[in-house]
Amino acid sequence: MLEIGFSRTLPHGMTGFLGEYESTLDAKGRFLLPAGFKKQLADGAGGQFVINRGFEKCLSLYPMNEWQPIFERISKLNDFDPKVREFRRYFLNGATILELDSAGRLLVPKNLLSYANLEKDIVLVAALNKIEIWDKGKYQEFFENFSPGAFSDLAQQVMGGGDHNISI
């Protein structure tokens, strides 16, 4: 099992995940939340999460303390704007509350398993305040198709120039 990560909690009870872990789905669609991520949960986050579709063909798993401010912000958007309604439908479609069971597992709803093409081997990847859940093959393919030069160009576009100059 690949395990890279360390504990990092941000101010004000926010979670800041780091790391990447491989896991396996059982026949019912459950997976064990890696101990490395459990250790990184903010104090008081408990065992409740919200899972929904990610921006790519992956799933996003938010601790409840991270989901609440996002949901509150979305709920305040102007319902008379058709783009807001479209965004809400897409973003909230399939969003489901999950709780860790007594064995520390989470059950992924079947519709979300299908969306992300998850069958058995998965990778859980830190994405700041959430965890992305990828099919292992798709995740590996993502990086195989991304060259170091393309990453350098992307880093320059996102992190370089203007007020966003950050040295890595």
Side-chain angles (χ1 to χ4, degrees), residues 75-92:
S75 69
K76 292 177 184 174
L77 296 173
N78 182 356
D79 201 35
F80 293 103
D81 183 336
K83 293 233 180 262
V84 167
R85 293 192 307 270
E86 182 179 12
F87 169 75
R88 276 189 190 151
R89 283 183 200 115
Y90 189 80
F91 186 75
L92 298 174

Side-chain angles (χ1 to χ4, degrees), residues 66-112:
E66 294 294 336
W67 175 259
Q68 283 302 121
I70 294 168
F71 188 79
E72 288 171 17
R73 184 172 176 199
I74 291 170
S75 69
K76 292 177 184 174
L77 296 173
N78 182 356
D79 201 35
F80 293 103
D81 183 336
K83 293 233 180 262
V84 167
R85 293 192 307 270
E86 182 179 12
F87 169 75
R88 276 189 190 151
R89 283 183 200 115
Y90 189 80
F91 186 75
L92 298 174
N93 183 18
T96 305
I97 296 174
L98 302 180
E99 287 194 51
L100 288 171
D101 68 12
S102 60
R105 298 172 300 193
L106 293 167
L107 174 65
V108 181
K110 297 232 182 278
N111 62 322
L112 295 179

Side-chain angles (χ1 to χ4, degrees), residues 145-158:
N145 293 325
F146 202 67
S147 72
F151 177 62
S152 179
D153 292 345
L154 179 62
Q156 172 60 33
Q157 291 171 15
V158 173

Side-chain angles (χ1 to χ4, degrees), residues 139-150:
Y139 187 69
Q140 289 171 336
E141 185 180 300
F142 176 80
F143 284 101
E144 289 169 0
N145 293 325
F146 202 67
S147 72

Side-chain angles (χ1 to χ4, degrees), residues 8-26:
R8 180 172 172 228
T9 303
L10 301 174
H12 311 305
M14 295 179 66
T15 305
F17 290 112
L18 292 173
E20 175 180 293
Y21 301 85
E22 292 183 6
S23 191
T24 305
L25 291 169
D26 69 13

